[in-house]
Each structure stands twice: as structure tokens, then as C-alpha cells.
Amino acid sequence: MDFQALVNASGMAAAVLSVEKTNDFRDYGDIRIVCANESYKKIMGPAYRDNMIYSELLPKEPNFEDFCYRCAVKKLHLHAYVDTKSMGLWTDGTYIPLSADVDTENLSYFLFFFEFTHAPESERMADVSMEIAPLVIQTCINLRGSEDFANTMSTVISDIQKYTDSFCSCIILMDKQKQKYSPLCASFKDPKITIDDFMPYLTPDVVFSWEDTLSKRDDVIVKNEHDMAELEKVNPVWVKSLRAAGVKSLVLVPLSQGKKLLGVLFITNFDIDKIVELKQYIELTAFFLSSEIANNDLMEKLEFMSNVDFLTDVKNRNSMNARVDLHVSGENEIKTPYGVVFADLNGLKQCNDSGGHEAGDKLLKSAADFLKKHFGDDEIYRSGGDEFVVIVPGCKKDDFEKKVALLRTQSGYGEPVCLAIGSDWSNKKEDLRRCMHNADEAMYADKNEFYKQHLDLARK
């Protein structure tokens, strides 16, 4: 067969590649670009030459090699639309096996042609097999059909585990900047096993090594010992953990928002006979999962921003008003009996005048930390300016009064944090607003008395 004429007839960038067949534990040996058309050569640049090993031109890519082997040797017609991170582009590649008649004893051939896109395109991503399409559609329905994020993710991961017939399917969320990570959901073939059984293998050095390993590939696939040995060359720490956990096969796919890695979806010890379909299903599912996780993350951040005072890291006035409304409506009642404390900083204006607003901010933070020390398990709000409100649910009157008395003792004149304090307690649900009013009035009376006794700190 005239390979050059074949690629020249293509209207896209095209090349004929050969895969060396081996008789050892590996499935294949060298993968070479036998010849290419002008479009292919132009894209690859002056380093290209006929019959070169592909990894002399492009970074070595295990997933690409697996597709090459399956197409050339197994004679499978394949298609993949992947994020080619080494080039910063998405590659829409088609693999067409050439007739076994042109193969030699040691070499099998296939035709490869492709197009680049700068970003993922929905039409190309939607080009999936009839077997995969219903599964992905069902995932989308599950993701959009429930307001319970955690429950939805558990349903989706369970479906993935069943389809892949894997030992484990799991989503791990990661925040490299904060050096935090946690499992979002997991499903095991054995219902007696939980993700907690495997967290000792998911150490920080393992989890935060994934981002570097994924930096030059769209995902990580391990089908056998050969793949495991190849992965060990680039990430020995992870492979040591995988071997200790009894992992023989693995698919790990990034969950990303733009260039930010949100986490990973991984499955272990799966049905490797379905690897081509599985890869397509997992990658497309991961795309939709990433979107849902990013959206949930945004909503949580917006909720946090709308309810937390950034200076003191306690809840803000908006959150306090919402909490009171939920209690009064009965939607989320504060456990009865309860106590309410109003606390206002004494001397904040003088602190600002003498040390500037930076000193005043520091004093406000100290006040919030002081209240956390005394009421860390309760609801603390910065209701405005130099004023804080604490709601203490489910407390006996004696216990509440002792806590307030200790607070007064440790926040008097001359202490690092000096507070004017008012409080009230009730065992009736409907008394919350009355309690808050009473505590507020008592706090202002305490504050006025403080400035009468300390005229040097009297406010203008």
C-alpha cells in the first residue's frame, strides 16, 4: 500500500503510524510516524521526519499509545476528543486500522488524522457511542434533578461503580493552596468497605502529587503491571501507595474549572476489557461533574461571603437576621431554653484615634477571638461596628449566667479586651426578640456606666 498517497488524500492533518508487536510482557514496542501529509508536517514543525518514534516529536502519552495499540494491532476503529495539555489544545483524533494484509510479522499500521480546538466544543464532546450516551444522559439528569448536592454525588458515584464493575469509585476534592483535601463520595463493590479504610493510603504527598502527574496528560490509566511500572517512573510515591492498597488497575480523571484542579474522579480494579468505552464514559462524566462541583463551590463561597464577617471570621448581621427569622417562622428553631448576650467593645474609638484603623481592626479581631474562647460552641455574630451578639441554645439558666459572669470578669477595665455586656435568658420559644431587646438595653446601660466611671475614655 502507498502510505504517502493515503495520507495525501486526506483533507485533514493525517499520518500513518506503525506499532511494534512484542512477545514479552508488554503489549507493544516502538510507535513510529511512518509518513504524514503536508498539513501534519506543518503543525509538527521542522523537527518532524518520516519513520521517527513519535515521542521524539511529542511528549510520551500512555493513553495515546494504548489507542495506537488497540487500533493497529486489535483493529479497532477509535475516536477520542481529549485535552492535550502538552500543547495547550484539545485534540479531536480518529484512529482507523489498516488492513492486516499490509501488516508485517513485527509491525501493524493505522491511519491517524486530527483537528485541534482551543477549547472543548460541545458538538465534538457529544460524539459518543450509543452505549455511552444513555449513561451520560442519566448522569446529567441526576445532577440537575436534585437540590441535595451530597446525595446526588453519592448516586452518581454509585452508578459509575456499577457500570465500571470497579472495586472502588470515588471523588476526592482538593485545595492545594490551603493544603486540604477530602473525599466527597465513594462507592465500593463490597458494601462493608468504606473510604475510611483507604484514607491511610491517601496521604498528602500522594494526593498533591496528582496535579503534577496530570499536568501533561488528560488522565491516568493503568491496565496492567506494565502501565503501573511506567507510572512508577514519574510518580513512585503514588505507585508505592497503590501497590500497598492492592490496586491493579486504575483510571484517574481530573475535575477542573479552567486551569484550577478541583479534585479527581478515580476508579480502581475495574473491568479492563471495557477500557475504551470506560475511558469515554468517565471523561465525559467528569466534564459534567466538574461543572456541578464548581457551581456548588461557587454557591458555598457566595453563601459564606453573605453570612460571614471577613474581619473577625464570625457570622455577620445578615446571618443573624436570617437566623432570627428562621427561628420565629419555626423553620429552624433555636433549642429552648436559650440565652442571648450583647457585647460592645469599650474604647474602640480611642484605639482608632491613637493607633489608626489597623489597631482598631486588631482589637475587633481580638474581641471576636475572646468571644470564641467563651462561646466557641454557640452562635456568634458581629451585628455591626463594635457590637457582637451571642445566641446560646439549649442552656440551663445557671450555666448561662456563670458563663456571662466569667465573661464580665475577664473583660473588665484594664483587660486586653474590655466589653460592655448585657444578657437575658428564656425557656420560651416566642421570647427570642424580647430577649435580644432586653440584652441590648442591658448592654447600653452597662456601657454608659463604664464611661461614667472612666471619664478619660468617654466618647464624643
Side-chain angles (χ1 to χ4, degrees):
M1 178 179 290
D2 187 341
F3 292 150
Q4 191 63 56
L6 179 64
V7 295
N8 288 344
S10 173
M12 299 170 60
V16 168
L17 282 78
S18 67
V19 177
E20 181 184 16
K21 294 176 282 188
T22 64
N23 294 320
D24 57 17
F25 71 95
R26 300 177 302 163
D27 292 325
Y28 55 85
D30 290 340
I31 297 175
R32 294 179 178 273
I33 308 171
V34 178
C35 62
N37 63 11
E38 290 303 316
S39 296
Y40 188 100
K41 293 176 182 178
K42 182 177 180 180
I43 292 172
M44 295 305 167
Y48 172 82
R49 67 180 188 279
D50 285 349
N51 208 40
M52 69 186 303
I53 295 175
Y54 92 94
S55 57
E56 296 175 350
L57 186 64
L58 298 166
K60 191 175 180 64
E61 172 49 65
N63 296 338
F64 172 72
E65 292 184 3
D66 182 66
F67 266 49
C68 292
Y69 165 75
R70 292 177 182 277
C71 180
V73 180
K74 299 292 186 179
K75 302 303 178 186
L76 299 177
H77 183 168
L78 303 172
H79 171 258
Y81 184 49
V82 298
D83 183 2
T84 311
K85 294 183 178 179
S86 61
M87 303 182 73
L89 299 165
W90 282 71
T91 303
D92 189 346
T94 301
Y95 304 69
I96 300 176
L98 297 182
S99 171
D101 294 339
V102 304
D103 290 350
T104 67
E105 181 179 354
N106 297 322
L107 298 175
S108 292
Y109 297 89
F110 72 99
L111 173 65
F112 175 68
F113 56 90
F114 68 92
E115 290 181 315
F116 286 140
T117 64
H118 290 282
E121 296 181 356
S122 57
E123 288 187 5
R124 296 178 190 266
M125 296 192 76
D127 184 14
V128 298
S129 68
M130 294 299 293
E131 179 184 1
I132 297 301
L135 299 171
V136 177
I137 290 172
Q138 184 59 53
T139 297
C140 292
I141 291 172
N142 288 336
L143 289 173
R144 306 311 302 172
S146 173
E147 295 182 358
D148 188 333
F149 176 75
N151 185 62
T152 296
M153 288 297 172
S154 294
T155 299
V156 169
I157 206 68
S158 178
D159 290 343
I160 292 173
Q161 186 276 319
K162 290 174 183 176
Y163 172 71
T164 59
D165 192 27
S166 57
F167 170 77
C168 169
S169 296
C170 181
I171 292 175
I172 301 288
L173 298 183
M174 304 160 54
D175 189 329
K176 188 174 182 179
Q177 185 175 4
K178 296 180 180 179
Q179 287 292 294
K180 293 183 178 181
Y181 63 96
S182 64
L184 173 62
C185 52
S187 180
F188 290 82
K189 183 179 291 187
D190 185 345
K192 297 178 182 178
I193 297 175
T194 71
I195 189 62
D196 291 338
D197 296 320
F198 288 88
M199 289 307 293
Y201 301 102
L202 297 173
T203 57
D205 56 340
V206 168
V207 172
F208 293 115
S209 73
W210 293 338
E211 185 168 7
D212 186 58
T213 301
L214 287 165
S215 63
K216 295 181 180 179
R217 61 179 77 184
D218 55 325
D219 53 34
V220 175
I221 296 178
V222 172
K223 307 179 301 301
N224 49 38
E225 179 54 33
H226 172 252
D227 291 346
M228 189 72 79
E230 290 296 310
L231 179 61
E232 190 170 22
K233 294 177 182 178
V234 297
N235 195 332
V237 172
W238 183 21
V239 170
K240 181 180 180 181
S241 172
L242 291 173
R243 295 190 193 280
V247 174
K248 304 295 183 183
S249 59
L250 166 81
V251 175
L252 183 137
V253 183
L255 302 172
S256 305
Q257 181 185 31
K259 294 183 178 181
K260 180 182 178 182
L261 183 64
L262 304 172
V264 298
L265 164 64
F266 71 79
I267 64 173
T268 62
N269 296 355
F270 57 89
D271 181 1
I272 61 174
D273 291 334
K274 298 169 65 176
I275 184 59
V276 174
E277 297 88 349
L278 185 151
K279 174 179 166 64
Q280 187 181 52
Y281 167 59
I282 292 296
E283 289 178 348
L284 193 53
T285 298
F287 180 83
F288 292 107
L289 286 172
S290 297
S291 177
E292 195 67 18
I293 290 170
N295 181 63
N296 182 74
D297 187 48
L298 174 62
M299 293 304 295
E300 287 185 348
K301 287 180 179 177
L302 289 174
E303 183 177 356
F304 179 86
M305 291 172 64
S306 66
N307 288 287
V308 174
D309 178 64
F310 286 126
L311 177 63
T312 60
D313 199 32
V314 299
K315 295 179 181 180
N316 60 19
R317 186 178 187 86
N318 175 63
S319 179
M320 183 183 74
N321 291 337
R323 184 70 182 96
V324 172
D325 290 342
L326 288 171
H327 172 80
V328 172
S329 69
E331 187 175 345
N332 185 11
E333 295 181 8
I334 296 167
K335 186 178 179 180
T336 306
Y338 52 78
V340 176
V341 178
F342 271 59
D344 192 289
L345 261 175
N346 290 323
L348 179 62
K349 182 180 184 304
Q350 291 74 18
C351 182
N352 282 329
D353 290 344
S354 61
H357 286 285
E358 184 177 347
D361 288 349
K362 185 176 180 180
L363 182 58
L364 282 166
K365 292 177 184 178
S366 296
D369 291 340
F370 180 74
L371 290 171
K372 290 176 190 176
K373 175 183 175 182
H374 287 268
F375 297 97
D377 296 329
D378 303 311
E379 302 175 20
I380 305 173
Y381 304 88
R382 183 185 177 195
S383 56
D386 51 3
E387 187 173 282
F388 296 84
V389 175
V390 182
I391 298 175
V392 185
C395 61
K396 296 179 181 180
K397 186 174 183 179
D398 288 347
D399 293 338
F400 175 68
E401 290 179 347
K402 287 178 182 178
K403 292 183 77 170
V404 173
L406 181 62
L407 184 71
R408 289 184 185 278
T409 300
Q410 296 185 3
S411 61
Y413 180 69
E415 296 292 340
V417 172
C418 181
L419 298 173
I421 297 169
S423 65
D424 197 20
W425 177 93
S426 177
N427 57 5
K428 297 179 181 179
K429 167 188 177 294
E430 60 272 15
D431 281 353
L432 178 61
R433 283 183 171 147
R434 181 188 64 78
C435 275
M436 295 182 74
H437 174 76
N438 290 345
D440 190 28
E441 290 289 314
M443 182 270 292
Y444 273 105
D446 188 42
K447 194 171 193 72
N448 289 332
E449 183 63 27
F450 173 84
Y451 283 114
K452 286 180 181 179
Q453 295 181 15
H454 304 285
L455 295 177
D456 58 316
L457 296 178
R459 298 171 296 173
K460 295 180 180 179

